[in-house]
Structures are given as structure tokens and as C-alpha cells.
Amino acid sequence: MIRPRGMKTPNPVDLIFADMDKLGPGDDSLSLYVLRSLPEHRFEIVVDAGCGAGRQTMVLASELRTAIQAVDSYQPFLNRLKQRAKGREVAHLVRTHCMDMKDIPSVFPKIDLLWAECAAYNIGFANALTTWTKAIRPNRFAVVSELCWLREQIPDAVTEFFRSGYPDVQSVPQNIAMAEEAGYKIFNTYTLPKDAWVKDYYDVLEPRAKSLVNHSDVAVREFAVETLNEIETFRISADSYGYVFYVLQRST
């Protein structure tokens, strides 16, 4: 289709996720619970990898009261984060960086706490852990959540969805083995409850996606349909998958 001069192609991400605080499954209370489970609570260099619009960044800044280095590759999300930080009166604690997560070690070579919720998959869970290990100081921590198989019996439709959507999904034991291979000790794991997928995330995304399935732009239509397929897959999943926090301590 020929677009009139000056007309911009709509960005499906901007349309569906506009003004949302949650850009993935998550829950402030669980983020805070996991944070408080760490044996230490004072960190000099804290990096929030793949921070998005900063839901968990607000938790980290408010609780730790130290500078949070918020990293994301999409500037509009970082702009929203900065505005939210002003509203929460933690703007002085939030430093935004528009960059790829794989480049974190070259910018932050001595990290005390690396936090990554629903983000490591962008560069691959195993690759992320290996990449970040070199930047985390000995005995310091990485808290990384990752999509995992939670049961051996998985509905066929779910298996089919992830075969194309995220074929690298592994079980919790497999991910633990990856973490240990990458140079971490497993401090603990926590599974995200189902409500954290629905409240303020899927219950917002679903009506938005439905409103865009007949959009004039094919990319927007396809993204809307993919979003609805994801939500339906979650409904029929029979608790076969979920997000798990891996609390990892860098080995000496």
C-alpha cells in the first residue's frame, strides 16, 4: 500500500503497550519479596537489564535507595520510565541507558546486583548468564526470571505454540544446570503466580489486541493476533509453564 507522504507506519508495540506499566508478567510484591530474600541489601552498582517501562525499576529504587542503571534497547520505554520515576520521586536514583543487554559488561564491568525480569530471553537465557557473569563481582548477585516448563505433561497446543514462539524454553532443572555451568551458585528460585500474568497485563492486552485485529496495517494486525494467541495459550496451558526467578550468586 502506498502511504501519503509524511504518514508514519504505526509501531505495533507502541499501539498495544501504550502507557502500560507492566510489559510482561510480573508483580511488585513478588519482586520486593525476592529482593528482600537476598542475604545482603546494600549494593553499589545495580543494573536492571531489559528494564522496559520500569515497573521493577521502581521497586529496586524505592527499596534500595541507590542508583539503578536501567538498560533497555527501546528508547520510548526509557522515556516512559523517566517520567514514572519523576512521579514516584525517585528520578535522582534512576539512570537510563539505551543499549543492548549483551553490551552490559563493557559499560558496567563491576556489578553488585544484576536484575532482569522477563528480559534475558531476548539474547537467550544461557547466553545472557554467560555474558553477564564476567561483569558480576565474585559473591555478588544476579536475579533473572525466565520462562520455564513446570510440568512434564504439556498440552499439544502449548508445545506447538512455543515451537515457533520460543523454542528454547527449558525446565527448571535444565536452567539451573545452565546457571551453574555459567559460574553461578543457586541461592533460590521463585515461581511467578498466575495472577501476575493476568492482573494489569493480559487483562489490559486482550481488549487492546482485539481492537486492533482489523487494523489497516498488516504488521499491527499480525501482532494483535499473535498477542491473542499467546493469551489463549496461557489459558489452556494447565499450569505447564511459567516464569521462574533464579536468584544466583556469582562463584568466586
Side-chain angles (χ1 to χ4, degrees):
M1 180 176 67
I2 299 176
R3 298 180 182 278
R5 186 174 297 174
M7 179 179 288
K8 292 183 178 180
T9 301
N11 187 321
V13 173
D14 290 338
L15 287 176
I16 290 189
F17 290 100
D19 302 322
M20 287 181 63
D21 291 341
K22 286 175 64 170
L23 302 180
D27 178 79
D28 285 1
S29 62
L30 184 60
S31 296
L32 184 59
Y33 180 83
V34 174
L35 179 60
R36 288 177 174 173
S37 76
L38 295 174
E40 299 177 35
H41 211 57
R42 293 183 64 86
F43 305 101
E44 184 176 349
I45 304 298
V46 180
V47 175
D48 183 5
C51 62
R55 179 197 59 77
Q56 69 289 332
T57 316
M58 299 297 101
V59 175
L60 295 170
S62 298
E63 177 70 9
L64 297 177
R65 306 308 300 179
T66 192
I68 310 299
Q69 309 299 333
V71 171
D72 202 276
S73 60
Y74 193 54
Q75 187 63 50
F77 287 160
L78 294 174
N79 294 341
R80 196 186 311 167
L81 166 56
K82 286 189 281 190
Q83 288 300 119
R84 295 185 64 219
K86 289 179 182 177
R88 295 279 291 271
E89 298 184 349
V90 292
H92 63 294
L93 297 175
V94 176
R95 314 278 190 272
T96 60
H97 307 268
C98 190
M99 54 181 278
D100 195 301
M101 291 188 296
K102 66 179 175 56
D103 297 325
I104 284 175
S106 63
V107 180
F108 305 103
K110 295 182 179 180
I111 298 172
D112 295 300
L113 173 63
L114 185 142
W115 195 276
E117 288 197 37
C118 306
Y121 75 91
N122 283 291
I123 59 173
F125 180 70
N127 180 53
L129 294 184
T130 301
T131 298
W132 296 336
T133 300
K134 65 191 76 169
I136 299 173
R137 296 171 57 204
N139 294 318
R140 303 278 86 184
F141 295 91
V143 177
V144 184
S145 70
E146 172 69 351
L147 193 69
C148 313
W149 297 124
L150 301 178
R151 294 175 50 192
E152 292 186 5
Q153 299 299 319
I154 304 166
D156 290 342
V158 174
T159 301
E160 184 61 29
F161 175 81
F162 281 104
R163 183 174 288 119
S164 58
Y166 187 30
D168 295 331
V169 180
Q170 304 291 328
S171 68
V172 174
Q174 287 173 316
N175 283 335
I176 288 175
M178 288 182 195
E180 291 175 336
E181 179 68 21
Y184 301 90
K185 295 179 287 187
I186 309 302
F187 188 76
N188 218 330
T189 63
Y190 301 90
T191 302
L192 203 65
K194 290 181 67 174
D195 284 351
W197 290 71
V198 178
K199 187 176 184 297
D200 297 328
Y201 186 54
Y202 279 166
D203 62 0
V204 177
L205 280 183
E206 186 169 27
R208 288 188 178 188
K210 285 181 177 178
S211 73
L212 294 170
V213 292
N214 295 315
H215 195 276
S216 59
D217 188 272
V218 64
V220 174
R221 294 199 302 272
E222 290 176 350
F223 192 49
V225 170
E226 289 173 6
T227 300
L228 292 173
N229 287 342
E230 177 187 325
I231 295 171
E232 181 58 25
T233 300
F234 181 75
R235 285 201 181 101
I236 65 171
S237 66
D239 299 325
S240 58
Y241 67 89
Y243 264 102
V244 174
F245 277 96
Y246 296 87
V247 182
L248 311 172
Q249 187 173 29
R250 169 75 192 279
S251 300
T252 55

